[in-house]
C-alpha cells in the first residue's frame, strides 16, 4: 500500500547482535526461532492464545452485556477501559507509576462518562430494538411482548459483564505490549502479530457464540437472512466491516509497536469522539450541553497527556 513501509507487512531480518531477555516464560521458546516462518504449533499457541482469548472475551462479553444494558450505560462502563489499561501497565511494569499520568487518565475517563451521559432513564436496550424489528418482520407479535419487557434485575449482570469486558480489553492491550517488547526483532511486524492472534480470537469467539446463542433460531427468524437479497446484503456488510476491523487491528498493533498500550488507549478515546461526532452528523443524535462539556474534558485530557 502507498505510504506504508515494507516492515509493516514483513518483519525485518533478525539481528543476532541485539540481545533480548524475555521475562514471560512463554516467549523463552523463541530463543532458537529468529523468523516467523520457523514457528512451531506449540510456540504459536503460547504467543497467540492469551491475547486472542482476551480479545474474544472483550468482544463476546461486550455483546452479551448489550442484551440487558441501555447503550448509554454500556458506553459509560466501557469508558473505564483506560483505567484498566493503566492499572495493568503499572502491574506488569510497562509504565512507571506516576500521579500525573494517573490523574490524566482519570480525567479522560471522567470526560468519557460525561460525554455519553443521557438524561432519559427509559432508553431502550439494543436487544429490544432488534427483537422488535425481528418480530415485525416475522409477524410474531407475542415475541415482541416477551422480548420488550426484560427484567430490571438483569441490569447488574449486564453491568458486571461489561465491566469484565473492559478489564479484558485493558489486560489484552498491556499483554500485547509486553509480548511485542520481548519478541525477537524478526517478529515485530503487525502482519505477524495478526497471523498469530486472529485465529485464536475467531475460535474462542465461535465457541462463546455456540455456547450462548441459538444459531438456528436466530438465523431463521432474523430479517437479515430472510431472503437471497437480505443474505447478500448482510454478507457484503459483514465483509466490509471485517476488512475495516482487520485494518484497524493492524494499525493498533503498529501503534503499540511504536509506542505503548496507554498511548493506544488515548488514541482510542479520540476514535470514540469521532464516532460521537459522526453519530451527530449522520444520524442526527441529540447531544446536550453536558455532553459537549464532557467532550471538552476528554480533549483537555488528551492534550495534557500529549504534553
Amino acid at each position: 500500500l502507498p505510504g506504508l513501509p515494507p516492515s509493516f507487512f514483513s518483519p525485518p531480518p533478525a539481528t543476532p547482535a541485539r540481545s533480548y531477555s524475555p521475562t514471560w516464560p512463554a516467549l523463552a521458546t523463541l530463543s532458537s526461532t529468529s523468523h516467523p516462518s520457523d514457528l512451531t504449533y506449540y510456540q504459536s499457541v503460547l504467543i497467540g492464545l492469551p491475547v486472542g482469548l482476551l480479545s474474544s472475551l472483550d468482544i463476546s462479553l461486550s455483546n452479551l452485556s448489550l442484551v440487558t444494558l441501555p447503550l448509554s450505560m454500556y458506553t459509560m462502563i466501557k469508558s473505564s477501559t483506560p483505567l484498566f489499561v493503566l492499572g495493568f501497565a503499572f502491574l506488569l511494569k510497562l509504565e512507571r507509576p506516576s500521579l500525573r499520568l494517573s490523574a490524566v487518565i482519570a480525567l479522560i475517563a471522567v470526560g468519557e462518562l460525561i460525554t455519553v451521559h443521557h438524561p432519559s432513564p427509559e432508553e431502550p436496550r439494543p436487544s429490544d430494538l432488534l427483537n422488535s424489528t425481528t418480530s415485525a418482520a416475522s409477524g410474531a407479535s407475542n415475541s415482541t411482548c416477551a422480548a420488550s419487557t426484560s427484567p430490571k434485575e438483569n441490569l447488574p449482570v449486564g453491568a458486571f459483564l461489561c465491566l469484565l469486558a473492559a478489564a479484558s480489553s485493558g489486560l489484552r492491550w498491556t499483554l500485547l505490549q509486553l509480548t511485542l517488547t520481548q519478541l525477537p526483532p524478526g517478529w515485530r511486524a503487525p502482519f505477524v502479530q495478526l497471523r498469530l492472534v486472529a485465529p485464536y480470537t475467531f475460535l474462542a469467539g465461535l465457541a462463546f457464540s455456540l455456547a450462548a446463542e441459538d444459531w438456528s433460531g436466530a438465523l431463521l427468524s432474523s430479517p437479515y437472512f430472510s431472503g437471497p437479497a437480505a443474505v447478500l446484503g448482510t454478507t457484503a456488510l459483514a465483509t466490509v466491516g471485517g476488512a475495516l476491523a482487520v485494518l484497524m487491528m493492524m494499525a493498533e498493533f503498529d501503534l503499540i509497536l511504536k509506542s505503548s498500550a496507554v498511548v493506544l488507549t488515548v488514541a482510542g478515546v479520540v476514535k470514540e469522539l469521532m464516532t460521537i461526532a459522526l453519530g451527530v452528523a449522520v444520524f442526527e443524535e441529540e447531544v446536550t450541553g453536558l455532553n459537549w462539556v464532557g467532550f471538552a474534558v476528554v480533549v483537555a485530557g488528551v492534550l495534557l497527556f500529549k504534553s
Side-chain angles (χ1 to χ4, degrees), residues 271-291:
K271 181 192 71 174
E272 292 177 7
L273 295 182
M274 293 178 63
T275 303
I276 295 173
L278 285 174
V280 174
V282 178
F283 299 107
E284 299 181 353
E285 296 181 355
E286 180 183 357
V287 178
T288 65
L290 186 62
N291 298 141

Side-chain angles (χ1 to χ4, degrees), residues 8-236:
F8 191 86
F9 299 96
S10 60
T15 52
R18 181 176 178 180
S19 61
Y20 64 96
S21 55
T23 57
W24 187 17
L27 300 178
T29 62
L30 299 177
S31 58
S32 60
T33 307
S34 60
H35 197 272
S37 60
D38 303 325
L39 183 70
T40 66
Y41 176 76
Y42 176 69
Q43 291 170 334
S44 70
V45 172
L46 289 180
I47 301 171
L49 182 60
V51 178
L53 181 60
L54 288 171
S55 301
S56 183
L57 277 175
D58 180 17
I59 298 170
S60 302
L61 293 176
S62 297
N63 290 341
L64 282 176
S65 65
L66 277 172
V67 175
T68 56
L69 288 182
L71 189 59
S72 61
M73 182 181 295
Y74 164 84
T75 312
M76 289 179 186
I77 298 176
K78 283 287 284 187
S79 65
S80 63
T81 298
L83 301 179
F84 284 107
V85 171
L86 186 64
F88 284 120
F90 288 160
L91 184 63
L92 298 176
K93 299 181 180 180
L94 296 173
E95 296 284 346
R96 181 176 300 176
S98 167
L99 181 60
R100 181 179 179 277
L101 179 59
S102 302
V104 169
I105 296 298
L107 179 65
I108 292 176
V110 171
E112 283 191 281
L113 187 65
I114 299 174
T115 302
V116 300
H117 174 73
H118 198 280
S120 174
E122 299 298 331
E123 180 185 357
R125 290 172 294 275
S127 59
D128 297 342
L129 300 177
L130 179 60
N131 286 323
S132 298
T133 304
T134 304
S135 300
S138 62
S141 58
N142 55 349
S143 175
T144 306
C145 297
S148 60
T149 55
S150 180
K152 291 184 177 180
E153 52 266 23
N154 286 337
L155 288 178
V157 177
F160 173 75
L161 292 176
C162 189
L163 190 64
L164 194 58
S168 299
S169 180
L171 182 57
R172 162 197 180 187
W173 293 122
T174 51
L175 191 58
L176 179 62
Q177 180 186 348
L178 179 65
T179 303
L180 289 173
T181 56
Q182 297 185 10
L183 284 174
W187 294 77
R188 297 172 187 172
F191 260 17
V192 175
Q193 297 307 309
L194 186 64
R195 193 184 76 176
L196 291 175
V197 173
Y200 301 103
T201 303
F202 166 74
L203 292 175
L206 180 63
F208 291 142
S209 178
L210 290 174
E213 298 175 319
D214 179 16
W215 275 42
S216 59
L219 292 178
L220 292 177
S221 61
S222 172
Y224 301 107
F225 298 94
S226 58
V231 171
L232 183 61
T234 301
T235 303

